[in-house]
Amino acid sequence: MSAVSVKLLGIGLIGPGLTGWAAAREVLAGQTAHLSAPTAVPSPQRLPAAERRRAGVAIKVAMAAAEEACADAGLAPQTLPTVFTSSSGDGVNCHTLCEALAGSDRLISPTRFTNSVHNAAAGYWHIGVAGQAPSTSLCAYDASFGAGLVEAVTQVRQHATPLLLVASDTPYPEPLQSARPLPDSFGLGLVFGPADGAGLTLSVNLVPANPATRPTPCADPGLEAMRRALPSARALPLLEAVARGGAVEQVVLLEYQASLHLRVEISGQGPT
Amino acid sequence: MKQPLAITHYTLTTALGAGIAAHRAALESGRSGLAPCAFADVDLPGYVGEVAGVDAVQLPPSLNEFDCRNNRLAWLALQQDGFAEAVQAARSRWGAHRVAVLVGTSTSGILQTELAYRRRGADGALPSDFHYEATHNTGSLGSFIGAAFGLTGPSMVVSTACSSSAKVFASARRLLEAGWIDAAVVGGVDSLCLTTLYGFNSLELFSADICRPWDAHRKGLSLGEAAAYALIERNADSAQGWLLGSGESSDGHHMSAPHPEGAGAVAAMRQALAEAGLAPSQIDYINLHGTATPGNDAAEDRAVCSVFGTETPCSSTKGATGHTLGAAGAVEAALCLIALEQGLMPGGLHLQQRDPALQAHYLTENRHAPLRAVLSNSFGFGGSNASLVLGAAR
């Protein structure tokens, strides 16, 4: 199989003890230990007040990661096609709907229903930035990050324009939390560009998953625990490699689906 | 302009029946699959397109963990028109790791969770037989189809509300062009559940009356359930039809209402035409999204007229199938393949008095003529738009 190469133009990050790519970079570079703390989710200032009130934590996490990645890339967000991927969607909203539908009157709010679509975060983002570029929202359970990366790099390859990938997860409340335990919210934004531009090159390829191809773990134990517990955090070994930087070519193997991993070769000068 | 992609096999199962022949006959006779809602214990005035026999479907024991209404419907549809055999043959020809599963759904198996919430214990816990990953989770549909055929290529579920299963055709092209796969099972499955019935009712978009696309007195949609699939293969010797182009866009306007001028829809249709290398005048028929909500039909009418003018014949098939949400894109792609094969432009059902404000050339009667290329529109919540251009077998 041939690799698909893209440029990495910008990064956004929000998660437990991770408050933005810029702040988290030292942790990811191995210069400071990761200190766990509940994910601090900012309010999306870009949304009109009415939409901001309606947006749940899943939408806010995705938008925070998207916002930082676009700023890091220095690109106008309204121009970017997007791929949003999440293993779960908006857990709180889903729980509230299921409780209401199990009740006697089954009255549910129109906003709850509207926000129940898996592409709610993408919809709010495109409203917030007034963007009419294409948007795809995906799910592949624990393989959701890998599915998003596959879709994102093949879109950049097809259209030869920069694109924003957002991978995020938000926990369900009980009782669904017991059926699908996710420890906290996590959001990652990556802006990719065509391979012939400036910046760090990522060459992405599919490789069979077998005992000889174990995914690259995170160097930091706290981050490694996060990588194992949160589908969107499966990207963390890539961020560690980027944060460590240097001129040396690096290869990380990201966990994708039972049959496949994603091999990412990192080369060149990255975003600083 | 892109190379046409071969659709070597396809099938669909809706309220009109299971398989292509049932749909051919229903379209020819102008039959509707809609009936007053008698789904589960739902007590709402309105019409639904329920697929017969879904409750009776039994999954093979090896796939039991996936058991839920959505995957039962998915399985029922896979058994029609030799589709399962065609996928097995593709797996043999290309290798299991070179065949992708790219499918769309909006609600997946959420009905399973809705029902489980009624069976919560005194401590609030869900029953022990509840299996979140294989039923409720949006990714379940892709995992189920992959497991059913032992496919190990890239698998994902697109969930962009009502454009979901149109967009997977575009994703298949990207994976083929990247050289990462040789074939893809694409399609969509959505099944009736309380979330969508009570949800569209809360938005006052679920009509008490049967849905009447393009009618002056249309009041909203009738919900349906369906499954439809297409097998896309590289280097095909023959095909049942061709994917000529696809277009995708966002509205960036409102979560549950389309851009009033249909700006995003215009962009999606123009991109699909550009990929197909066709002028608007070369499209013989348009299968509209046509949900019969006042706002959606008006916005789509403006969009269609601004791209095609007012001469291109068009209609909505939702009066026959109901709005099948995440499955609608694949269902209507399959109906377009039937239209191309039969030279049949299906007249839209239930129209009593045409809305004088709508300008598109809306067909209320079946029309027969040779068709070479048709366009299908799918627009969803969150302002997600997709258009496909499909070509006749040649």
Side-chain angles (χ1 to χ4, degrees):
Chain A
M1 268 181 246
S2 51
V4 173
S5 295
V6 296
K7 294 290 180 180
L8 178 60
L9 305 179
I11 299 173
L13 181 61
I14 176 172
L18 301 169
T19 51
W21 165 244
R25 219 176 157 155
E26 283 189 13
V27 174
L28 289 151
Q31 291 155 355
T32 343
H34 174 247
L35 297 176
S36 196
T39 304
V41 185
S43 179
Q45 295 307 308
R46 211 179 261 281
L47 285 180
E51 265 82 16
R52 206 181 311 152
R53 275 195 304 278
R54 293 182 189 129
V57 64
I59 292 159
K60 291 175 182 169
V61 168
M63 287 192 70
E67 192 74 60
E68 192 192 14
C70 292
D72 190 39
L75 290 172
Q78 70 270 23
T79 62
L80 299 178
T82 58
V83 173
F84 282 72
T85 183
S86 170
S87 74
S88 49
D90 190 333
V92 175
N93 193 72
C94 174
H95 165 76
T96 311
L97 275 178
C98 286
E99 277 214 310
L101 291 169
S104 54
D105 63 9
R106 298 179 183 176
L107 284 178
I108 60 177
S109 100
T111 300
R112 288 263 177 231
F113 175 58
T114 303
N115 288 2
S116 75
V117 296
H118 191 73
N119 61 322
Y124 279 97
W125 170 255
H126 281 265
I127 292 168
V129 303
Q132 297 190 333
S135 177
T136 293
S137 293
L138 305 177
C139 182
Y141 195 62
D142 279 351
S144 292
F145 171 73
L149 186 62
V150 165
E151 176 69 21
V153 300
T154 53
Q155 280 205 27
V156 173
R157 184 189 172 283
Q158 180 188 16
H159 297 298
T161 56
L163 173 147
L164 167 67
L165 169 66
V166 180
S168 60
D169 291 296
T170 313
Y172 285 103
E174 287 295 357
L176 276 164
Q177 167 77 224
S178 293
R180 173 48 161 172
L182 296 171
D184 203 342
S185 295
F186 187 94
L188 168 68
L190 297 171
V191 176
F192 299 121
D196 54 5
L200 199 71
T201 299
L202 303 184
S203 291
V204 181
N205 212 342
L206 302 173
V207 292
N210 59 48
T213 58
R214 299 188 71 82
T216 310
C218 287
D220 182 283
L223 297 180
E224 174 61 7
M226 216 185 291
R227 182 186 76 85
R228 290 168 171 271
L230 288 159
S232 49
R234 286 186 177 185
L236 281 173
L238 171 64
L239 297 198
E240 278 195 344
V242 172
R244 281 195 296 269
V248 186
E249 206 167 82
Q250 300 184 69
V251 173
V252 292
L253 214 54
L254 301 178
E255 191 174 356
Y256 174 25
Q257 60 189 36
S259 56
L260 294 168
H261 293 319
L262 285 157
R263 182 184 188 276
V264 185
E265 199 175 293
I266 306 154
S267 58
Q269 195 64 43
T272 49
Chain B
M1 182 178 165
K2 294 273 185 185
Q3 282 290 322
L5 281 188
I7 297 170
T8 54
H9 294 270
Y10 73 99
T11 187
L12 75 167
T13 291
T14 75
L16 293 173
I20 295 170
H23 287 82
R24 255 188 224 131
L27 290 182
E28 284 288 359
S29 63
R31 183 171 71 82
S32 172
L34 299 178
C37 180
F39 174 71
D41 59 355
V42 171
D43 184 21
L44 291 173
Y47 286 70
V48 300
E50 190 173 342
V51 174
V54 178
D55 286 331
V57 172
Q58 286 205 322
L59 302 183
S62 62
L63 298 171
N64 248 340
E65 63 174 342
F66 292 99
D67 191 29
C68 65
R69 185 174 186 84
N70 206 57
N71 290 330
R72 286 183 186 199
L73 175 54
W75 180 258
L76 175 66
L78 285 170
Q79 310 313 312
Q80 313 304 320
D81 298 315
F83 193 81
E85 292 75 11
V87 176
Q88 308 280 18
R91 179 174 180 265
S92 302
R93 180 177 180 194
W94 302 109
H97 67 296
R98 297 289 296 175
V99 183
V101 177
L102 313 170
V103 283
T105 189
S106 70
T107 52
S108 191
I110 198 170
L111 175 64
Q112 204 71 4
T113 307
E114 296 168 1
L115 298 174
Y117 264 67
R118 296 189 195 174
R119 296 192 289 134
R120 291 170 68 174
D123 57 354
L126 294 169
S128 58
D129 59 8
F130 174 69
H131 200 320
Y132 169 85
E133 175 185 353
T135 61
H136 169 142
N137 186 263
T138 305
S140 155
L141 177 63
S143 306
F144 172 66
I145 295 168
F149 294 109
L151 300 176
T152 55
S155 168
M156 68 172 185
V157 173
V158 170
S159 192
T160 53
C162 310
S163 61
S164 304
S165 60
K167 289 168 71 73
V168 292
F169 286 81
S171 297
R173 180 190 288 283
R174 288 188 272 271
L175 282 172
L176 275 164
E177 288 182 352
W180 281 358
I181 59 167
D182 296 307
V185 176
V186 299
V189 184
D190 244 331
S191 45
L192 291 172
C193 61
L194 275 58
T195 297
T196 50
L197 283 161
Y198 286 94
F200 278 110
N201 190 61
S202 77
L203 284 167
E204 299 178 358
L205 296 175
F206 182 58
S207 174
D209 188 15
I210 201 163
C211 73
R212 303 184 187 283
W214 258 248
D215 190 281
H217 304 296
R218 65 188 183 278
K219 292 204 170 63
L221 50 83
S222 301
L223 283 172
E225 59 184 354
Y229 306 103
L231 181 61
I232 290 176
E233 291 185 85
R234 193 191 294 282
N235 302 336
D237 304 327
S238 64
Q240 292 190 305
W242 298 85
L243 176 68
L244 303 180
S246 56
E248 300 166 89
S249 73
S250 298
D251 274 358
H253 172 71
H254 189 272
M255 275 304 293
S256 56
H259 186 282
E261 301 302 318
V266 166
M269 288 188 277
R270 290 205 168 123
Q271 190 195 328
L273 288 169
E275 254 194 40
L278 294 177
S281 61
Q282 292 172 286
I283 295 296
D284 299 315
Y285 163 75
I286 299 168
N287 187 289
L288 300 162
H289 187 56
T291 60
T293 67
N296 283 5
D297 286 4
E300 187 175 15
D301 187 82
R302 286 192 199 101
V304 164
C305 292
S306 73
V307 176
F308 292 93
T310 57
E311 297 302 314
T312 307
C314 58
S315 66
S316 164
T317 42
K318 289 189 170 63
T321 61
H323 188 354
T324 62
L325 306 179
V331 164
E332 288 161 41
L335 292 175
C336 282
L337 293 172
I338 293 174
L340 286 160
E341 173 207 274
Q342 299 292 105
L344 166 66
M345 292 172 259
L349 305 182
H350 317 308
L351 190 145
Q352 293 172 333
Q353 187 187 343
R354 209 197 133 90
D355 184 343
L358 305 185
Q359 303 297 312
H361 185 183
Y362 191 86
L363 301 175
T364 54
E365 303 284 338
N366 281 356
R367 181 182 291 185
H368 292 87
L371 302 175
R372 286 158 304 171
V374 304
L375 179 131
S376 180
N377 281 336
S378 299
F379 308 136
F381 274 18
S384 175
N385 309 301
S387 297
L388 300 177
V389 176
L390 296 148
R394 52 176 157 76

